[in-house]
């Protein structure tokens, strides 16, 4: 599914979880080549103010070559390459993803920032919004297990593709459809009636349109859960499991 993977190395404590996750899933994801990239962030403003004074680029961190050697040992059938670049990380990685025909971009995420919010960082947040390939985000300290995954299901084409990915790599898949009873026509039916009709329709659609595309892959378990925000419902259900959306 993902022959060409690009890994964003941060040269900090996030990298260990990222490399472990890739080692765990590379075979099932069909990874054939891995490009490990560290981008040294440069600020263009002071460089411009220095009016032509040459500043040497920062050298590649020792952790880059160490990561290459680690993956070479762990994934003997995979071609692993390291690359050090200088610039704006999100832009550099975007360009590399296009130039190298990357199928999967892997990046880490700190557990929390100084204000308690998830610490994507500006570069990770930019990539999440702009990358034209699938992404695997590994929170710091997480362990990737493929015994059970949760797939967000809204019965769209892309959700069907996510379900196919989950069924291919995991032992068991929970296909989770979030709904909100406030969407029912006020006064026409009760919340219980709305839920019953939705559940019946979901199972019909699942059996008719989604199950056939899975072929001989294990059949996922369809679950419906009520809540105001799909993201909250999916995260709560997934817990420490892999979540595919």
């Amino acid at each position: 599914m993902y022959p060409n993977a690009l890994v964003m190395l941060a040269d900090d404590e996030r990298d260990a979880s990222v490399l472990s996750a890739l080692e765990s899933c590379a075979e099932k994801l069909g990874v054939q080549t891995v490009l490990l990239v560290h981008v040294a962030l440069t600020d263009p403003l002071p460089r411009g103010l220095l009016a032509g004074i040459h500043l040497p680029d920062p050298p590649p961190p020792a952790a880059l070559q160490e990561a290459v050697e680690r993956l070479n040992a762990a994934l003997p059938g995979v071609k692993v390459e390291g690359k050090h670049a200088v610039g704006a990380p999100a832009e550099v990685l975007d360009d590399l993803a296009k130039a190298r025909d990357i199928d999967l971009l892997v990046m880490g995420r700190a557990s929390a920032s100084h204000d308690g919010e998830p610490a994507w960082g500006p570069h990770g947040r930019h990539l999440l919004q702009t990358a034209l390939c699938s992404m695997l985000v590994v929170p710091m300290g997480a362990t990737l297990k493929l015994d059970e995954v949760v797939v967000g299901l809204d019965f769209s084409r892309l959700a069907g593709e996510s379900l196919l990915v989950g069924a291919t790599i995991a032992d068991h898949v929970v296909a989770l459809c979030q709904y909100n009873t406030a969407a029912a026509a006020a006064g026409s039916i009760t919340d219980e009636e709305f839920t019953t009709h939705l559940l019946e329709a979901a199972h019909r659609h699942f059996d008719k349109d989604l199950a056939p595309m899975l072929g001989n892959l294990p059949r996922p378990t369809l679950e419906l859960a009520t809540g105001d925000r799909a993201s909250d419902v999916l995260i709560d259900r997934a817990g420490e499991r892999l979540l595919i959306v």
Side-chain angles (χ1 to χ4, degrees):
M1 288 184 294
Y2 302 110
N4 301 317
L6 187 157
V7 180
M8 176 183 179
L9 286 182
D11 190 28
D12 61 24
E13 63 273 12
R14 290 171 288 180
D15 290 348
S17 300
V18 169
L19 294 175
S20 294
L22 189 60
E23 291 168 352
S24 299
C25 69
E27 182 177 357
K28 286 196 171 183
L29 292 178
V31 175
Q32 299 173 11
T33 68
V34 174
L35 179 61
L36 294 167
V37 182
H38 175 265
V39 183
L41 176 64
T42 57
D43 188 343
L45 180 58
R47 288 200 165 206
L49 294 176
L50 288 172
I53 298 176
H54 176 69
L55 293 177
D57 289 335
L64 177 59
Q65 183 57 33
E66 293 170 0
V68 171
E69 294 172 0
R70 170 176 170 171
L71 289 188
N72 270 324
L75 305 173
V78 176
K79 178 182 178 182
V80 182
E81 175 187 353
K83 182 175 179 60
H84 175 66
V86 177
E91 295 178 7
V92 171
L93 292 169
D94 261 336
D95 290 342
L96 280 172
K98 296 171 186 174
R100 297 292 189 97
D101 192 25
I102 295 299
D103 307 292
L104 181 70
L105 198 160
V106 186
M107 69 177 192
R109 195 202 75 189
S111 55
S113 62
H114 64 279
D115 56 3
E117 294 298 318
W120 299 104
H123 312 298
R125 191 176 298 114
H126 177 86
L127 287 168
L128 284 168
Q129 296 170 341
T130 62
L132 298 178
C133 61
S134 295
M135 297 190 67
L136 173 62
V137 180
V138 186
M140 187 175 67
T143 299
L144 180 59
K145 297 180 180 179
L146 299 177
D147 52 348
E148 181 177 85
V149 303
V150 175
V151 178
L153 195 63
D154 60 5
F155 302 104
S156 66
R157 178 184 61 82
L158 287 176
E161 293 180 4
S162 298
L163 188 64
L164 181 60
V165 172
T168 300
I169 67 174
D171 299 329
H172 179 241
V173 176
V174 173
L176 186 65
C177 179
Q178 172 267 350
Y179 69 97
N180 187 352
T181 53
S188 60
I189 60 175
T190 66
D191 287 352
E192 291 76 12
E193 291 172 330
F194 173 76
T195 301
T196 298
H197 291 317
L198 179 65
L199 184 61
E200 292 173 351
H203 276 287
R204 286 197 303 270
H205 190 69
F206 184 82
D207 292 338
K208 177 183 176 182
D209 299 321
L210 297 181
M213 69 182 291
L214 299 178
N216 295 323
L217 294 172
R219 180 182 175 85
T221 299
L222 177 61
E223 293 183 8
L224 273 73
T226 184
D228 295 335
R229 290 169 57 91
S231 56
D232 291 339
V233 170
L234 289 167
I235 290 171
D236 288 344
R237 177 62 180 85
E240 296 184 355
R241 301 173 183 84
L242 176 64
L243 174 61
I244 304 177
V245 295

